[in-house]
Amino acid sequence: MNINNLTFYIHYCAKRDITDVGRLQKTISRKINHHELMLITGGKGSITILNKMYKAEEGMLLYLKPNIFHSIKPDLKEPLKFISVHFSFVNVEFDNNKWRIKEEKEGLALHEVQIMHNYYSIKGLMKSMLDVWYKKFPGYEFVCKTMFQRILFKIIRNAEVNAGNYSNSLKVKTVIKFMTDNIDKKLTLSELAKYVNLSPTYLSRVFKKTTGYSIIEFFNKMKIDKAKGLITEGDKKIKEIAEIVGFKDEFYFSRIFKKVEGVSPKEFYGKNVHED
């Protein structure tokens, strides 16, 4: 699953805190037909997911997938407090100048329970999102979706830290920075692997896992993104632009451009540049 292609729908946001006097001590037992992220913000209690029980604590994040039975039992003296977001998502791809929408049956690549190292940052963002949802000012759904994607990005980074993969993430960022600085060149996997002191096979695997793209796909996408900007400026020939982004062969550049964008450079120019 490539997270770059996911489009989210927020069903609703919810909370339990000291203002919810009548509900704080109630046990929740249920299945839901969508996804839920629940951040424990205080109190005590237990959470059971498919007969596996966890002791709840502040800073714990639960990821509940559709149709999975779970129960949340608060402590009677110190009831649990939480913020939750209920959502669904689909995979939306734009390929060969066509949109493809596919329902994702597998869940996000998150553990059902994790402790948030960046808890206060996540809590602040989720409280802000909750506030926007409850006020329901014009455009609130769009704003909430944007905020949710930012929250999800931070959660994924937290999972990397928990799994000990943060150093790999930093090396992938180093590779991307190196590619950006050398956009006008042809780089090989061996060169990039040597630059970050990893084997080509291992770098290829962690890069794909982190970005959702192979190294060649990602580098070509970077080149084509820059080329699109140069084309829309309208003052350079296709051959010049190809050379700027590291392609000596104009025809090969056009072939890669069409593979990535779905149209040729000339067709892209015709659709996006309007001369007087």
Side-chain angles (χ1 to χ4, degrees):
M1 180 192 301
N2 186 346
I3 196 170
N4 297 294
N5 295 333
L6 300 184
T7 297
F8 295 90
Y9 176 80
I10 308 299
H11 295 281
Y12 62 93
C13 302
K15 69 173 178 65
R16 279 196 186 181
D17 58 27
I18 56 174
T19 63
D20 302 300
V21 179
R23 300 166 58 222
L24 272 175
Q25 296 179 339
K26 289 184 178 179
T27 297
I28 299 172
S29 297
R30 66 187 176 184
K31 283 184 183 180
I32 52 177
N33 61 2
H34 50 260
H35 302 259
E36 179 182 6
L37 283 177
M38 177 183 291
L39 181 67
I40 305 299
T41 58
K44 296 179 181 179
S46 62
I47 295 108
T48 302
I49 305 172
L50 287 178
N51 298 319
K52 186 174 182 180
M53 191 174 75
Y54 300 92
K55 183 180 178 182
E57 60 181 278
E58 185 176 7
M60 178 181 282
L61 182 84
L62 311 176
Y63 172 42
L64 303 169
K65 297 179 183 180
N67 302 312
I68 299 296
F69 182 80
H70 58 275
S71 65
I72 301 161
K73 186 176 181 180
D75 181 88
L76 296 179
K77 292 182 178 179
E78 295 182 57
L80 279 175
K81 292 174 280 187
F82 61 79
I83 302 171
S84 64
V85 182
H86 296 249
F87 64 97
S88 294
F89 59 89
V90 293
N91 188 303
V92 180
E93 295 181 21
F94 186 73
D95 184 46
N96 200 22
N97 211 30
K98 292 181 181 178
W99 290 101
R100 289 206 303 267
I101 300 175
K102 181 177 67 175
E103 186 175 351
E104 283 289 354
K105 294 183 179 179
E106 59 180 290
L108 299 172
L110 296 174
H111 295 295
E112 61 186 18
V113 175
Q114 61 177 298
I115 300 298
M116 305 304 298
H117 294 285
N118 50 355
Y119 164 62
Y120 291 104
S121 173
I122 297 291
K123 179 183 177 182
L125 287 170
M126 290 187 76
K127 285 182 72 174
S128 297
M129 181 179 171
L130 189 69
D131 186 56
V132 171
W133 184 266
Y134 281 164
K135 287 181 177 176
K136 289 189 167 33
F137 290 150
Y140 77 97
E141 290 175 303
F142 180 81
V143 174
C144 283
K145 279 192 282 188
T146 304
M147 296 176 79
F148 179 69
Q149 286 177 292
R150 186 180 175 194
I151 290 165
L152 190 58
F153 179 80
K154 284 183 172 287
I155 290 169
I156 290 169
R157 286 294 169 263
N158 182 84
E160 288 177 350
V161 172
N162 285 347
N165 294 331
Y166 190 60
S167 62
N168 287 340
S169 179
L170 289 177
K171 291 200 173 188
V172 168
K173 288 179 181 178
T174 300
V175 167
I176 292 172
K177 175 68 166 57
F178 186 75
M179 290 193 292
T180 302
D181 294 340
N182 293 276
I183 198 80
D184 60 332
K185 297 181 177 65
K186 182 180 179 181
L187 300 175
T188 67
L189 175 59
S190 295
E191 286 178 276
L192 295 170
K194 186 177 180 181
Y195 185 72
V196 291
N197 198 30
L198 294 175
S199 73
T201 303
Y202 187 73
L203 174 61
S204 184
R205 187 165 67 248
V206 299
F207 194 96
K208 174 85 173 181
K209 185 176 180 180
T210 303
T211 67
Y213 298 96
S214 72
I215 289 178
I216 292 173
E217 287 173 335
F218 196 90
F219 197 31
N220 281 340
K221 188 175 185 306
M222 289 174 66
K223 288 173 178 284
I224 299 310
D225 282 347
K226 179 160 185 172
K228 288 189 290 184
L230 293 170
I231 290 171
T232 54
E233 289 175 8
D235 60 348
K236 291 182 177 63
K237 294 181 179 179
I238 299 300
K239 186 176 181 180
E240 291 179 83
I241 293 170
E243 289 175 353
I244 289 171
V245 295
F247 290 92
K248 293 181 180 180
D249 186 336
E250 177 186 350
F251 299 104
Y252 180 64
F253 165 72
S254 295
R255 193 157 73 245
I256 295 299
F257 191 102
K258 186 165 186 177
K259 182 179 179 181
V260 172
E261 194 61 24
V263 293
S264 70
K266 288 183 179 179
E267 290 172 319
F268 182 85
Y269 177 89
K271 290 181 178 182
N272 293 279
V273 180
H274 305 284
E275 299 175 339
D276 295 332

